[in-house]
Amino acid sequence: MSRTFLPHVITDDSALGGKVIERSLRFRSGSSSNLEKINSSAGNRRTMTYSFWFKRVNIQFHTILRGKQGADDRHGIDLLSNGGFRFWGNAYNASPLFHVQPSRLLRDLNAWYHLVLSIDTTQSTASDRVKFYINGDLLTDFDTATYMGQNDSLYLNDACRQTWGVEDGGINIYYADIHFIDGYQYDASYFGYTESQTGIWRPKKYTGSYGSAGWHLEFKDSSAIGKDTSGNGNDFTANNVSTHDV
């Protein structure tokens, strides 16, 4: 049986804040696996950061995250069937309000990727409102780059359903060390670093604030898979995953 190995650090770089990621969570094909939280109140809907590691098992379309208000008002992140990914949003009876899709393709099925999505819609320069980092690299080439308007509010971090993973169907994929930072636009250096011995991007212990609506999913407790370990108590409900998926 093949095994999946998580991203790791070498002890010599511990002074840089390196950390070992101990566990991941598997979403299984056809099981409708997801983590879900319905926010009772909104956090900062303009400024936020997502950081997470993931490993694809196959190259198919997959919903990473949705903030969903009603049936048709959605903002979120998708992995695409060509190996790409996007951040997009729409509203009822409207064409997409924004659609940011980097040219970078993530097709290596043996690799763990670290993705940071850094958002601040208050920025006057449109391209500064959405920033993608893959394994520490700020992406600057895009297939599509239609940005939201300045000071627009997102359904992400709104008082509505927040779903990590698909709502129906699904593919095999692994996630690890998921951070959501409420109210701050951070770059990848807050969550990772380049290992001096190998030049490989490694996980780093995050030491900043999560904001009141932020959360951290480490999957340390297989009996409480969606437990928030940030200290905020913003737990998720784990649907169609079980202890053997941790």
Side-chain angles (χ1 to χ4, degrees):
M1 180 178 68
S2 63
R3 296 183 61 190
T4 297
F5 293 93
L6 292 174
H8 65 282
V9 297
I10 290 178
T11 306
D12 291 353
D13 275 344
S14 59
L16 300 177
K19 65 172 288 185
V20 174
I21 296 176
E22 297 177 355
R23 294 192 176 188
S24 67
L25 179 64
R26 177 182 62 175
F27 286 177
R28 290 172 286 118
S29 177
S31 66
S32 301
S33 303
N34 66 68
L35 301 167
E36 182 180 78
K37 181 164 69 73
I38 300 177
N39 290 342
S40 58
S41 60
N44 191 319
R45 298 175 58 198
R46 296 175 177 174
T47 307
M48 63 195 77
T49 304
Y50 290 91
S51 167
F52 57 97
W53 293 81
F54 69 96
K55 182 181 185 296
R56 306 182 83 159
V57 177
N58 48 29
I59 306 299
Q60 295 180 7
F61 179 88
H62 174 69
T63 299
I64 293 177
L65 173 68
R66 283 283 187 276
K68 190 173 181 180
Q69 185 71 266
D72 299 294
D73 300 335
R74 298 172 293 170
H75 297 163
I77 313 169
D78 295 326
L79 296 176
L80 305 177
S81 57
N82 70 342
F85 54 103
R86 66 182 182 182
F87 176 51
W88 69 283
N90 66 1
Y92 180 66
N93 281 340
S95 58
L97 300 176
F98 61 88
H99 185 171
V100 184
Q101 182 174 324
S103 301
R104 178 78 65 91
L105 300 179
L106 310 177
R107 291 176 170 171
D108 186 350
L109 300 182
N110 294 311
W112 277 90
Y113 291 105
H114 179 231
L115 190 153
V116 173
L117 174 61
S118 185
I119 301 166
D120 185 358
T121 72
T122 69
Q123 296 288 336
S124 58
T125 301
S127 59
D128 288 336
R129 296 171 199 159
V130 176
K131 295 182 179 181
F132 274 109
Y133 299 83
I134 292 292
N135 296 346
D137 295 332
L138 173 64
L139 304 188
T140 56
D141 295 325
F142 298 89
D143 292 338
T144 303
T146 302
Y147 295 92
M148 67 286 287
Q150 188 176 14
N151 295 316
D152 279 0
S153 295
L154 303 180
Y155 296 127
L156 299 178
N157 214 21
D158 195 3
C160 62
R161 187 184 306 276
Q162 308 290 307
T163 306
W164 192 273
V166 296
E167 295 169 310
D168 55 0
I171 64 170
N172 292 315
I173 192 167
Y174 295 83
Y175 288 108
D177 203 36
I178 306 174
H179 299 264
F180 172 64
I181 315 300
D182 168 38
Y184 301 89
Q185 185 187 39
Y186 286 148
D187 62 42
S189 67
Y190 284 79
F191 310 97
Y193 70 99
T194 300
E195 185 178 80
S196 59
Q197 294 169 313
T198 64
I200 295 173
W201 185 253
R202 299 295 194 194
K204 177 181 177 179
K205 184 177 181 180
Y206 174 71
T207 59
S209 171
Y210 282 90
S212 60
W215 41 265
H216 184 199
L217 302 181
E218 297 181 273
F219 316 119
K220 286 184 173 181
D221 185 350
S222 58
S223 65
I225 294 172
K227 183 177 180 179
D228 168 26
T229 58
S230 73
N232 284 340
N234 293 320
D235 299 338
F236 279 70
T237 298
N239 298 314
N240 300 308
V241 292
S242 56
T243 56
H244 64 263
D245 294 311
V246 176

